[in-house]
Amino acid sequence: MNTLEFLRQFRFSGYAIFDLVAALLGIYLISPLLSKLFLKIRIDIPKLNWLYLTLPIGILVHLLVGEMTPMTVDFLNIHDHYILKILTIGLLVLGLRNIKIRKKHKATNQR
């Protein structure tokens, strides 16, 4: 058993704790860069919002690349896992809450 398999064996409700912690830590570390990049296209996303959006973005990315993880499968299951669905939608709402679109500043004509 290699180190990654060892770390992924610890689970909470069937989901690997290591994967969730790694995703949150990764977003925490790159959130300043992501906020600056989005500010260049006039979208102000606070750094904390990236942490809230980690789980919804993760599920969306796994869907887009076709990697059906246990959490993605559980989220798509229409007959069960309502707590996961409520948590994910709640995190999405919290993550989108303080996002602002900045207006362009018009140059003033000074003579």
Side-chain angles (χ1 to χ4, degrees):
M1 176 182 297
N2 65 26
T3 306
L4 189 58
E5 288 175 355
F6 173 74
L7 291 172
R8 293 188 80 221
Q9 79 179 355
F10 302 103
R11 298 183 175 271
F12 176 75
S13 186
Y15 308 120
I17 296 170
F18 174 77
D19 292 344
L20 183 59
V21 170
L24 288 169
L25 182 62
I27 287 290
Y28 175 77
L29 293 175
I30 66 168
S31 65
L33 176 64
L34 290 171
S35 291
K36 285 180 185 177
L37 288 172
F38 274 83
L39 202 53
K40 289 183 187 266
I41 58 172
R42 300 186 344 252
I43 300 174
D44 185 14
I45 304 175
K47 294 171 187 83
L48 179 63
N49 285 43
W50 289 108
L51 290 174
Y52 291 137
L53 292 171
T54 302
L55 191 63
I57 289 172
I59 291 173
L60 179 65
V61 168
H62 282 108
L63 279 172
L64 291 174
V65 298
E67 182 68 31
M68 298 306 285
T69 63
M71 187 174 289
T72 306
V73 170
D74 290 346
F75 184 78
L76 294 176
N77 182 355
I78 60 173
H79 300 293
D80 203 2
H81 305 286
Y82 299 112
I83 293 174
L84 175 64
K85 291 172 181 61
I86 291 168
L87 176 68
T88 304
I89 292 170
L91 288 171
L92 180 65
V93 169
L94 285 173
L96 295 175
R97 188 173 57 169
N98 291 324
I99 295 177
K100 296 178 180 95
I101 298 177
R102 300 287 179 180
K103 294 181 181 178
K104 281 188 179 180
H105 292 122
K106 294 183 180 181
T108 57
N109 290 335
Q110 296 180 356
R111 294 183 188 215

